[in-house]
DNA sequence: TGTACATCAGTGAACGCGCGTTCACTGATGTAC
DNA sequence: TGTACATCAGTGAACGCGCGTTCACTGATGTAC
């Protein structure tokens, strides 16, 4: 994504890249708007000159993709932590973590699933047979595993259907709750239990 | 939304307003990007000078809100038509129409549920007790009605839960399908039947 | 150990661009008398 | 019926702005000899 990263003097070098991603994330969450994440706004936030970003990203889009990649890593880490903290009820723990993640970072969550950012057009967006290498694929496979664990049997076609249905419901829930806050939503726990009860 | 609409000479007057909304919609669907719907792009599309738009909308945001309002009307009309064409299986007809609507106008659908556009900040986004007056409220009430019809009883708390779960699933499905086309989605009919089977 | 030099992360000024919006206007339409 | 005038939808030029990106640069760091 970055191309020519060479070792930096005084161990200070690639630190700026991380600061840029963190700054871009902060601008996104503060402004609530992907368009506000300009090179200049990020540079102001980080305290550098705007052209300095070009040392780490070839263009603005690459910077935004790095924010998305980082967010997917965080999501996966959050799900992994939830599952290992509650191994007896992995599916519930996982759903709670998913909803909690999206609720705590609504703007990052939205950006993660804005298609045109999740990869360049073309090859990456062609339909494929598995979720290998797909952005969010790790998270989805955790979901499949938690469903099959709850069902106390090996993953089957039905397991997969349940996992897709649950993912779709979770995503729909967190997206709509954010988009239509005026809707009379039930409490989060009630909603989650309802969605879980629809998994066979 | 428009403020000072007075009768126009030669019956030509408010026609431009409709042309502007149609032009903005066309720019949106062609570009796939809300940001591309600028006053100047719309004006080029319609064949007028950019400042002419100010005769019909106070600013760019009002123009975009008109696009959204028009799209919600279309959605409601599509759902109404589907239900009345298949009165014996209203819920299935309605789900198909919903998914079909979103699939045929992905960019409009996305814009409809981009919170910050669906109303000014403040009052309109405060949680409320009912769906009266909510953007998309008509559509949601159709869904509730179709669920209670299928259950052959008056709408209850459980009906409402089913309707919310179904709406959430439908929205999640159409959003993710658009955002992550590389995911190995089942055929649309299979997916729809699966989601319907989870309604009690 | 000392010095000349290569490296390279980051800078400041400048570019051209498209944008939303303002302004004074034009010119056809219809109306008052 | 004729004429002066009010109306008003739409125009063209211009504004200031922030943007992404390019460019030649600076100045500290570390290395070759």
């Amino acid at each position: 994504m970055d191309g020519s990263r060479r070792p930096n003097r005084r161990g200070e070098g690639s630190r700026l890249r991380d600061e840029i991603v963190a700054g871009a994330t902060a601008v996104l969450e503060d402004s609530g708007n992907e368009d506000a994440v300009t090179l200049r706004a990020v540079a102001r936030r980080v305290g550098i000159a705007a052209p300095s970003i070009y040392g780490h990203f070839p263009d603005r889009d690459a910077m935004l993709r790095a924010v998305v990649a980082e967010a997917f890593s965080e999501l996966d880490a959050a799900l992994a932590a939830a599952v290992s903290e509650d191994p007896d009820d992995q599916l519930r723990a996982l759903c709670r973590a998913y909803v909690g993640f999206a609720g705590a970072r609504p703007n990052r969550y939205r950006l993660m699933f804005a298609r045109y950012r999740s990869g360049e057009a073309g090859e990456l967006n062609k339909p494929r047979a598995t979720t290998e290498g797909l952005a969010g694929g790790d998270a989805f496979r955790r979901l499949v595993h938690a469903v099959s664990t709850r069902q106390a049997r090996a993953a089957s076609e039905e397991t997969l259907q349940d996992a897709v249905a649950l993912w779709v419901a979770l995503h729909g829930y967190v997206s709509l709750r954010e988009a239509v806050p005026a809707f009379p939503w039930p409490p989060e726990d009630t909603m989650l239990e309802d969605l879980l009860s629809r998994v066979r």
Side-chain angles (χ1 to χ4, degrees), chain A residues 45-70:
Chain A
R45 185 84 175 209
V46 174
I48 56 174
S52 303
I53 294 174
Y54 286 96
H56 298 274
F57 300 98
D59 55 23
R60 174 176 181 265
D61 202 63
M63 183 184 72
L64 285 172
R65 273 184 275 122
V67 170
V68 169
E70 169 69 17

Side-chain angles (χ1 to χ4, degrees), chain A residues 37 44 54 61 76 78 84 89 113 127 161-162 164 169 177:
Chain A
V37 187
R44 279 192 294 270
Y54 286 96
D61 202 63
D76 196 53
S84 70
D89 200 351
F113 289 102
Q161 278 177 35
D162 279 345
V164 171
R177 189 182 55 173

